[in-house]
Amino acid sequence: MRLNGKVAVVTGGTRGVGAGIAQAFAEAGAEVVTCARRPPEVPLKGAEFIPLDVRDPDAVQRFFAELPRVDVLVNNAGGTPHRPLTAADARRHARVVELNLTAPLTVSLAAHEHLRRAGGAIVMIGSVSGSRPSPGSAAYGAAKAGLEHLARSMAVEWAPEIRVNTLVLGMVRTELSHLHYGDEHGIAAVARTVPLGRLAAPSDIGAAAVFLASDAAAYITGASLLVHGGGERPAFLDAANTHTDEGEPR
């Protein structure tokens, strides 16, 4: 799957998942533009960085007005700290929704004319938090649920010129994994809960994003692709004492 000659914009493309996506697009032959509030600590080979706060509509408009062409947009910028609902007021939670839902809409609208002319593609970066309870990050989960719905509606409104799909991510190992899962023992314990036995690498997400942006996915739009290693093993299977793994009573 090659993207030679394509221009891809990756928001939040300076570290973690975003850096993995940017690298995958560069390796596929695309000209990559990354944007974030702060530059990467280590420059990404094959990617140009332009500072941008995706929550600033005027800055977003200027950013795309200065680009000569955009074929692919990856709405990756987002995230949240662990924050129980009662630990902050509504305005703090609203900022999480703004970053994870309103900003991708702002960016997509600003990029629309570029993408329409190019017959381009948008890849939203969603989360399994949008389809299951998300205690400690409820506003984030709600925003990601809304992002999937936005992508499906956008896919219908903007067809046939622009394809819009969502990658629904499970747990990904990045430089910030320790903030969510603890030390190496904690990360290993969490990885054992995933059917494939490991957390995703940013390169796994990058490969999936390249697929959705490529001609190999030319008839895919309005879809949500699960990239979660098989999801979560149902808790009741480990709690029940009816049978062992070999089918014998415990």
Side-chain angles (χ1 to χ4, degrees):
M1 290 176 286
R2 301 298 300 171
L3 298 173
N4 295 345
K6 303 289 188 182
V7 176
V9 172
V10 182
T11 69
T14 58
R15 65 181 184 181
V17 169
I21 293 170
Q23 182 177 351
F25 273 86
E27 290 174 353
E31 179 181 334
V32 181
V33 178
T34 65
C35 58
R37 288 183 297 166
R38 291 179 292 274
E41 294 182 4
V42 179
L44 298 173
K45 184 178 180 181
E48 176 187 4
F49 170 75
I50 300 176
L52 177 67
D53 185 345
V54 294
R55 297 170 297 184
D56 183 338
D58 293 335
V60 170
Q61 286 287 350
R62 290 193 298 270
F63 173 88
F64 283 100
E66 293 171 2
L67 294 178
R69 174 177 176 175
V70 179
D71 298 276
V72 181
L73 168 63
V74 183
N75 278 307
N76 167 75
T80 185
H82 183 273
R83 180 182 292 134
L85 285 169
T86 55
D89 61 20
R91 286 171 295 185
R92 185 68 62 86
H93 293 301
R95 286 185 63 79
V96 173
V97 176
E98 179 187 23
L99 176 60
N100 291 281
L101 177 56
T102 308
L105 173 59
T106 298
V107 173
S108 298
L109 287 169
H112 176 267
E113 279 305 304
H114 279 305
L115 293 166
R116 184 187 62 79
R117 288 194 298 268
I122 296 174
V123 180
M124 302 291 197
I125 303 302
S127 170
V128 294
S129 294
S131 58
R132 57 152 170 77
S134 191
S137 56
Y140 174 80
K144 290 300 188 181
L147 186 66
E148 275 196 75
H149 189 279
L150 174 64
R152 289 194 296 270
S153 298
M154 193 179 286
V156 175
E157 284 201 23
W158 292 359
E161 290 89 358
I162 303 170
R163 295 186 300 106
V164 187
N165 294 291
T166 304
L167 290 179
V168 182
L169 307 190
M171 296 177 287
V172 185
R173 180 157 190 177
T174 70
E175 60 268 33
L176 298 180
S177 290
H178 64 282
L179 298 178
H180 300 279
Y181 313 127
D183 60 14
E184 288 298 320
H185 293 293
I187 292 172
V190 170
R192 288 193 292 271
T193 71
V194 179
L196 285 186
R198 66 177 179 88
L199 305 188
S203 59
D204 294 316
I205 313 306
V210 166
F211 164 68
L212 287 180
S214 75
D215 290 341
Y219 199 65
I220 300 175
T221 193
S224 295
L225 177 60
L226 294 169
V227 189
H228 61 5
E232 300 174 354
R233 177 178 170 85
F236 79 86
L237 291 177
D238 295 320
N241 62 5
T242 307
H243 299 288
T244 67
D245 290 339
E246 290 76 26
E248 297 296 330
R250 291 185 179 180

